[in-house]
Amino acid sequence: MMNKPQRINTLTVSAISIGALLMLSACSDNNTAEPPADAPAETSRAVEEAPAAAPEAPKPQTSEPAVPAEAPATTTAEPAEAVEPPAPDEPEVLAADAGAKLYESNCKVCHEAGLLDAPKYGDKAAWTPRLAKGIDTLHMHSAQGFNKMPAQATDKVSEAEVYAAVDYMIAAVS
C-alpha cells in the first residue's frame, strides 16, 4: 500500500500527463475522429486494437517534482506536395452573376436594413461619400474590413467575389 505522499505524487504526475496529452492532441492537425479518406484502413485498426498499457509501478518519492517527458515530434514519411497559389497576374474568373449571388447570400443582411451603418442597397445619398473615396478603397474596405464592417474575404469567399458584390451594389446607385 502506498503512503499518502506517494499517492499524491502519482496522481499529480498522472494529471499532468493527461493534460499534456490533451494539449498535444488539441494542437495537432488531425482533430477528426475518422481517418482521412486516403489513409489505409489498417492504420486506424492498429490504433484501436492496441492493448491497454499496464499500470506503472509506484516510483520512489524524490525531492524533485516529477515532470512528464515530452512527446517525440512526429514527421511524415512522404514530403508534402507543393501547391502553387494562383499567380496574382491571373484574375479569378467569376460567373456574371457572382456579385448578385454573394449580395443575396451575405451582404443583403446588413445592406438591405442599414445595419451597423451599412449604406442601403440603392440609396444614392448613403453611397455618395463612400464612392468619393474611390472604387479601390471600397474594394479594400469590404475585403479586409473597415469600421463596423467585418472582413468579407474569408476562406470561403474570395476577394474577387467580394469585389464583384461591391461592384453590384455600386451599379445600383450609378
Side-chain angles (χ1 to χ4, degrees):
M1 185 165 168
M2 287 190 262
N3 62 26
K4 191 172 184 174
Q6 285 178 328
R7 190 173 348 155
I8 292 173
N9 190 27
T10 304
L11 290 174
T12 303
V13 171
S14 297
I16 291 172
S17 299
I18 290 171
L21 287 173
L22 289 173
M23 285 178 30
L24 287 173
S25 67
C27 294
S28 72
D29 289 344
N30 188 7
N31 289 335
T32 60
E34 300 175 5
D38 59 341
E42 300 159 7
T43 306
S44 61
R45 265 189 257 125
V47 171
E48 293 171 1
E49 296 173 1
E56 287 187 32
K59 296 180 182 176
Q61 185 175 357
T62 62
S63 60
E64 296 178 17
V67 178
E70 291 185 23
T74 58
T75 57
T76 57
E78 299 174 16
E81 293 181 23
V83 177
E84 285 187 41
D89 299 331
E90 300 172 18
E92 183 178 342
V93 178
L94 298 175
D97 63 343
K101 283 184 178 180
L102 185 61
Y103 172 80
E104 290 295 324
S105 65
N106 292 13
C107 310
K108 186 177 183 177
V109 173
C110 294
H111 286 278
E112 185 174 64
L115 297 176
L116 302 174
D117 298 326
K120 290 184 179 182
Y121 179 80
D123 183 353
K124 286 186 179 187
W127 280 95
T128 300
R130 289 164 175 87
L131 289 170
K133 295 178 182 180
I135 189 73
D136 291 336
T137 301
L138 287 174
H139 283 163
M140 182 182 65
H141 287 173
S142 61
Q144 298 174 3
F146 183 73
N147 289 337
K148 295 178 186 175
M149 180 176 177
Q152 300 302 306
T154 64
D155 58 337
K156 295 179 179 150
V157 179
S158 70
E159 280 190 5
E161 291 171 310
V162 173
Y163 296 171
V166 170
D167 294 342
Y168 172 77
M169 289 187 275
I170 291 172
V173 295
S174 296

